Amino acid sequence: MCNHHSVDSISTPNNKVWHPDDKAQATPSSPNASEIYRPDILETIEANIKDLDDELRALSLDIHAHPELGYEEYHAHDVYTTFMEKHGFEVTKQFHLPTAWKATFSHGTGGRTIGINSEMDALKGIGHACGHNLIGISGVAVALAIRAALEHHNIPGKIVLLGTPAEEGGSGKVVLLEKGAYQGMDACLMCHPAPGPIGSVSLSSCLALQRLTVEYKGHTAHAALSPWEGRNALDAAVLGYNNISALRQQLKPTHRVHGIFEGKDWAPNIIPDYAKFICLVRAPTRAEMQETVKRVTPCFEAAALATGCEVTITYEKGSTFDLRQNKALGGEVANIVLNKYGAIDYEWGIKSASTDFGNVTYALPSLHPGFAIPTIVDGGNHTPGFTQAAATTAAHYASLDVSKALAATGLRVLADDDFFSKVQKTFKEDETERGPL
């Protein structure tokens, strides 16, 4: 057996955010401090990803140059499926959804199945400001590197790479999970870029999320001549917003409630008879999020009562859960990163954001590390600055480093029975703690 760092004791030695003008390079925090499982396999993985470097860079820049919104990733669908077919994978296009896809490869007979995810969608108006071009090529790199290792070392197993649409608000993975796309996987892996220290890989979780659509219906009136004849739906929405602001004083600092107003045929001289409040409620766990939703809902109901408006509250499908990072998978990634590539932390990544991959971690053993890329000040995820960062050479190589660690971890799931037993054990322990999907 290999010796591993205790996952709970690892922290990054540097909290300075990586900026584009930094001259330092990512270096392993604990080089040669502990054994790595099958170093010969890791060497195969590293060599394969090095050979693919130029192709992966071109693929990333192609996706980055053609940003597409959720469920509209037609260019990405075609580019990725063509790429995987060229590399010998069996590809299923339009897999359950028009822009989802599946690429599979099997070696030998029997063996386990490792799942991998590649995200594709961008953000309205600011393109790939969450770095899904990097996530996409990382999934490709992991799949191709595991394939090379299976063939070179004659290890039986199956790889399933899913192209998953609409992470940004569309809950694409939740839909795919419900349609059975993850059935048969023994574990699933992916990663996500974010600001952070140079060379840092984050094993933080994220916030569970519920989207609510709140619609107020009132009655129009002349806003100056006879406002008393009206029932102001916009006032109701504003009051609901202010009620939430008052509630925040009694919410934990780790919880988030935020949203926007939308109207219909508004004019300053007419009392609005319709207003919509789109609200997102987030908390560190699924259970906490559900409890916070119960506290937020009366804020909307009270606003309707005070203004004399009707209210309809819709709890939108596709709520997403927190990341339940599998401790055995996380410990393996941490061991490789610390010895070979960089540092491990629990404070960066997408800790205060949300992802539909959280639901996948409730369904099967999974891991979703964040990885740092160089960002400008105030240029984190969902900003134009991050769009630029996601196309840099430094970001590209950061994604390849974490891909090597993920590939080696995924390969161990396929090759090492004892390790896979630990992966299953830690998943079951966590399931007992947080409840089933």
Side-chain angles (χ1 to χ4, degrees):
M1 290 297 296
C2 296
N3 296 317
H4 287 270
H5 295 270
S6 168
V7 173
D8 294 329
S9 66
I10 299 169
S11 62
T12 180
N14 176 20
N15 287 321
K16 181 180 180 295
V17 176
W18 187 6
H19 293 306
D21 56 353
D22 289 336
K23 304 300 182 185
Q25 300 292 317
T27 56
S29 295
S30 305
N32 304 314
S34 58
E35 294 181 15
I36 290 176
Y37 174 76
R38 294 288 302 271
D40 57 327
I41 290 177
L42 182 58
E43 288 175 5
T44 300
I45 287 168
E46 290 178 326
N48 179 259
I49 289 178
K50 182 178 180 180
D51 289 343
L52 292 167
D53 184 6
D54 290 343
E55 286 186 76
L56 292 170
R57 177 65 170 157
L59 180 61
S60 175
L61 292 179
D62 185 353
I63 299 299
H64 190 276
H66 298 88
E68 298 167 299
L69 300 181
Y71 296 119
E72 299 176 8
E73 309 96 333
Y74 298 104
H75 177 81
H77 172 280
D78 293 346
V79 168
Y80 280 121
T81 55
T82 298
F83 190 94
M84 296 309 294
E85 284 178 332
K86 183 181 74 171
H87 283 276
F89 275 63
E90 181 181 339
V91 171
T92 303
K93 299 179 180 181
Q94 299 176 355
F95 183 59
H96 292 303
L97 295 167
T99 57
W101 50 272
K102 179 174 73 169
T104 62
F105 176 84
S106 297
H107 181 74
T109 58
R112 287 180 282 272
T113 299
I114 188 69
I116 310 154
N117 284 179
S118 285
E119 293 179 356
M120 299 177 287
D121 58 323
L123 290 154
K124 188 174 183 178
I126 50 177
H128 276 289
C130 215
H132 290 192
N133 60 305
L134 299 173
I135 299 172
I137 67 151
S138 173
V140 170
V142 172
L144 294 179
I146 293 177
R147 173 195 168 175
L150 291 180
E151 292 180 322
H152 185 75
H153 301 280
N154 195 27
I155 297 168
K158 182 178 181 179
I159 304 161
V160 178
L161 172 62
L162 295 181
T164 59
E167 188 275 336
E168 299 290 355
S171 300
K173 296 183 196 66
V174 178
V175 176
L176 288 173
L177 194 60
E178 292 171 349
K179 290 180 178 290
Y182 291 85
Q183 288 181 0
M185 293 183 187
D186 291 296
C188 194
L189 306 169
M190 66 167 291
C191 60
H192 200 297
I198 295 175
S200 188
V201 171
S202 303
L203 295 176
S204 55
S205 182
C206 73
L207 301 182
L209 179 151
Q210 175 65 59
R211 178 187 176 105
L212 293 84
T213 300
V214 184
E215 296 177 282
Y216 291 102
K217 294 181 180 178
H219 189 278
T220 60
H222 194 294
L225 182 64
S226 51
W228 52 86
E229 295 179 357
R231 297 290 183 270
N232 195 319
L234 177 57
D235 277 351
V238 171
L239 189 55
Y241 183 95
N242 289 334
N243 288 343
I244 291 170
S245 295
L247 175 64
R248 277 199 192 94
Q249 297 179 73
Q250 277 68 55
L251 295 178
K252 293 181 179 179
T254 50
H255 294 215
R256 302 284 188 271
V257 186
H258 50 98
I260 60 170
F261 299 147
E262 290 184 354
K264 183 175 65 177
D265 300 327
W266 283 354
N269 59 344
I270 302 173
I271 299 296
D273 67 346
Y274 177 85
K276 180 190 291 186
F277 186 1
I278 300 171
C279 180
L280 304 182
V281 179
R282 311 187 198 225
T285 66
R286 176 181 64 175
E288 289 180 275
M289 176 269 286
Q290 291 169 342
E291 287 302 312
T292 301
V293 168
K294 293 178 183 178
R295 299 186 68 188
V296 168
T297 300
C299 294
F300 304 127
E301 297 168 336
L305 183 64
T307 57
C309 293
E310 298 177 9
V311 63
T312 301
I313 303 172
T314 302
Y315 302 91
E316 301 291 353
K317 294 181 179 180
S319 60
T320 62
F321 304 155
D322 49 306
L323 287 167
R324 311 300 296 194
Q325 306 277 32
N326 184 273
K327 288 187 177 181
L329 296 173
E332 182 69 9
V333 165
N335 189 58
I336 297 167
V337 168
L338 290 167
N339 276 276
K340 297 287 291 184
Y341 308 121
I344 294 292
D345 74 78
Y346 294 88
E347 296 301 323
W348 298 93
I350 61 166
K351 185 176 182 179
S352 294
S354 304
T355 174
D356 53 5
F357 193 78
N359 300 52
V360 178
T361 70
Y362 272 70
L364 70 155
S366 304
L367 193 72
H368 180 292
F371 64 95
I373 67 172
T375 54
I376 62 173
V377 175
D378 296 331
N381 299 65
H382 292 205
T383 68
F386 202 86
T387 305
Q388 297 176 13
T392 62
T393 302
H396 172 71
Y397 285 114
S399 74
L400 296 190
D401 279 348
V402 72
S403 298
K404 297 167 192 173
L406 286 172
T409 300
L411 193 286
R412 190 170 187 184
V413 168
L414 302 178
D416 187 338
D417 293 340
D418 290 339
F419 176 69
F420 181 61
S421 294
K422 287 186 176 181
V423 170
Q424 290 181 305
K425 180 175 182 288
T426 55
F427 177 76
K428 292 296 184 184
E429 289 172 347
D430 183 69
E431 187 176 48
T432 300
E433 176 185 331
R434 47 80 176 171
L437 178 64

